[in-house]
Amino acid sequence: MKKITLLMILALAWSFNSFAQSPYVDEDFESGTFPPVGWTDVDGAAHFTLVGGNNNWGTTTTRFNSPSNAAFFDDFHIPGNNVDVNDKWFISPAFDLSAAVNPELLYFENINFSTFAGTQDVLWSEDYTGAGDPALANWNLLNDTIGGEDVWELNGPFPIPSVGTEVYIAFHYVGDFTAEWYIDDILVRDALTCTPPTVDSATLIEDC
């Protein structure tokens, strides 16, 4: 997968897992279109639109000179402006878990200037309508733990105890100063019933 040079052991297992079944969500942001089809960038109630700055979710290939795309939110701050609060939701398309068996979420994440972020939550909902203020729906927390600074990390698996026919995953950011949030390789699947392989080392054998 994309982060194989950074997380060889985890990424090799991830690659094996992702082809073991048909996932409910499998987004790597490589389509060339952002947001990807069905994904939405939604302003929360506290959001203040900056003048002279694009404070929407976007995509980038610049993190660690990676050739791959990732979803990216940059919390702009304009000096002298004390009300530039960002309240931004990045929400998946609806997906059907009515026939799922122990569904779970995994994703890669990189956070820069993490101490400046107020909220970086990952949530799921069965009653979000796909429009309007997301805070009016009931959201269930999957992860609010911020990992290491400036390092790609695999998050999950996080169980999604739902049999809903229209389930959403959301990445919710609230803050007012300079934090950066990178997200990639979002996968919702049924939990594995086998043990994935791991690799401690690799040897190249020339064999035509």
Side-chain angles (χ1 to χ4, degrees):
M1 299 296 287
K2 294 181 184 177
K3 309 302 179 299
I4 194 167
T5 57
L6 301 174
L7 296 167
M8 176 176 286
I9 295 175
L10 291 174
L12 286 175
W14 171 278
S15 179
F16 174 84
N17 295 344
S18 65
F19 288 101
Q21 58 201 334
S22 298
Y24 305 100
V25 177
D26 187 3
E27 184 55 63
D28 60 7
F29 304 105
E30 298 301 322
S31 68
T33 300
F34 195 90
V37 175
W39 287 77
T40 53
D41 178 355
V42 184
D43 293 352
H47 186 67
F48 177 85
T49 302
L50 296 178
V51 176
N54 175 10
N55 57 337
N56 294 322
W57 282 89
T59 186
T60 182
T61 60
T62 61
R63 201 73 193 136
F64 298 122
N65 297 313
S66 170
S68 302
N69 289 327
F72 167 56
F73 184 77
D74 186 356
D75 188 348
F76 280 95
H77 176 76
I78 297 178
N81 182 0
N82 296 320
V83 293
D84 52 347
V85 174
N86 285 297
D87 179 1
K88 298 291 289 185
W89 296 72
F90 186 48
I91 304 176
S92 75
F95 52 95
D96 186 350
L97 292 181
S98 59
V101 179
N102 300 321
E104 61 186 14
L105 167 71
L106 303 95
Y107 64 97
F108 278 96
E109 174 182 73
N110 181 291
I111 297 172
N112 196 21
F113 306 114
S114 59
T115 57
F116 294 109
T119 297
Q120 286 175 305
D121 289 347
V122 184
L123 313 106
W124 67 273
S125 176
E126 291 179 330
D127 62 1
Y128 178 58
T129 64
D133 183 359
L136 298 178
N138 293 303
W139 292 92
N140 306 280
L141 184 66
L142 289 169
N143 187 31
D144 63 354
T145 301
I146 296 175
E149 181 79 6
D150 266 352
V151 59
W152 280 104
E153 294 182 331
L154 175 61
N155 287 264
F158 301 111
I160 306 174
S162 172
V163 292
T165 58
E166 291 191 351
V167 181
Y168 294 84
I169 296 292
F171 296 83
H172 183 207
Y173 178 91
V174 179
D176 62 3
F177 189 73
T178 208
E180 300 173 359
W181 194 7
Y182 302 82
I183 299 167
D184 208 351
D185 293 328
I186 300 167
L187 181 66
V188 177
R189 66 179 185 194
D190 287 326
L192 299 180
T193 57
C194 59
T195 301
T198 60
V199 176
D200 295 322
S201 62
T203 302
L204 177 64
I205 300 176
E206 295 291 349
D207 185 358
C208 293

